[in-house]
Amino acid sequence: MKDKTLLGGIVVMIVGAILIGVVWVLFLQPAQTPSAVLTAVPITLPDNSQFTILEIVPEESLVTFTLDETLRGLPTTVVGQSRAVAGQIAIDFADPTTAQIGPILINARTLLTENEFRNNAIQNFILQTEAYELITFTPQQISGLPAQFTANGPVNLTIQGDLTIRDVTQPVTFAATVTANGRTELTGSATAQISRLDFALTIPDAPGVANVSEEVGLHIDFVARMIP
């Protein structure tokens, strides 16, 4: 009988140690910090082109994701944000229909909500940011570009491209609004909806958390200025 009691105690200790390890990895292990300052991928253009290169200003831009969950019995909208975004836009103001957008990079290690435990779970388990530091959107097609920009007049665009989260790439379409402030600055926003399941983003079991929505909203407010 004593042997069975001892064996049962050992099993309980092992299971407890495993559970503590899982909790540490998912919720308590500190989030990763960026490995380097994020820089835009340069757009390659012909030497004789009339394009102006504008670059996203991270300090004046904001990337946001939103999803719904039930937290300790209360419906909750989770909001995560980051200013670590980089990208370039090439535009010929004499013919805006030829505009190009380079890859848009986001450092996933900087996406933060108001909850530290959630942040750790997002980075250590869901996004696995130690291995996959960057989220990338690579535009493939822009629809709605005008023949000419109207001063301070917003233009509605549709931007289709490939979104890569971790090691999964899926087509995503953003609805965007862009305003040209002279020939040196563009401001605007873009919004899309994605499914977590399309990107294999699973949610770890956590006490008090339930009913996490499959749909995730993506949004960016940006300022892009001409490179000096």
Side-chain angles (χ1 to χ4, degrees):
M1 180 64 68
K2 290 183 178 180
D3 290 342
K4 291 183 177 180
T5 302
L6 179 60
L7 180 60
I10 294 174
V11 170
V12 170
M13 291 176 62
I14 292 174
V15 171
I18 292 173
L19 290 176
I20 291 172
V22 169
V23 170
W24 166 258
V25 170
L26 296 184
F27 305 108
L28 300 179
Q29 183 178 353
Q32 300 292 317
T33 57
S35 62
V37 176
L38 193 62
T39 57
V41 177
I43 296 178
T44 303
L45 297 168
D47 292 337
N48 61 347
S49 70
Q50 301 300 311
F51 286 88
T52 297
I53 302 294
L54 308 174
E55 193 160 290
I56 291 176
V57 182
E59 296 82 7
E60 299 178 49
S61 303
L62 187 65
V63 174
T64 303
F65 75 82
T66 58
L67 55 80
D68 295 323
E69 68 179 20
T70 301
L71 181 61
R72 291 186 287 275
L74 297 176
T76 303
T77 297
V78 176
V79 179
Q81 296 182 322
S82 172
R83 293 191 183 277
V85 55
Q88 290 188 349
I89 302 170
I91 183 168
D92 179 356
F93 284 97
D95 184 10
T97 62
T98 60
Q100 302 177 38
I101 303 175
I104 305 299
L105 309 178
I106 302 161
N107 193 308
R109 295 180 180 179
T110 65
L111 285 167
L112 300 177
T113 71
E114 85 294 346
N115 186 294
E116 183 179 358
F117 293 120
R118 183 191 293 116
N119 294 341
N120 293 343
I122 289 173
Q123 296 190 28
N124 294 324
F125 180 84
I126 301 172
L127 296 181
Q128 300 175 14
T129 59
E130 183 174 5
Y132 306 102
E133 184 171 358
L134 300 181
I135 295 172
T136 304
F137 177 68
T138 305
Q140 303 293 351
Q141 183 176 348
I142 310 171
S143 302
L145 287 166
Q148 292 291 330
F149 277 110
T150 301
N152 300 318
V155 175
N156 295 322
L157 304 175
T158 299
I159 304 171
Q160 298 170 292
D162 296 322
L163 179 64
T164 300
I165 301 176
R166 297 194 314 189
D167 55 349
V168 179
T169 300
Q170 295 285 354
V172 172
T173 299
F174 281 85
T177 301
V178 178
T179 300
N181 305 314
R183 291 175 174 259
T184 60
E185 180 181 275
L186 291 177
T187 59
S189 63
T191 302
Q193 291 283 329
I194 66 170
S195 168
R196 287 192 297 106
L197 300 183
D198 289 344
F199 290 88
L201 300 175
T202 57
I203 305 299
D205 290 333
V209 178
N211 304 322
V212 180
S213 62
E214 293 182 9
E215 294 297 311
V216 180
L218 305 179
H219 184 85
I220 178 172
D221 293 307
F222 70 89
V223 174
R225 291 202 181 96
M226 184 173 66
I227 300 176

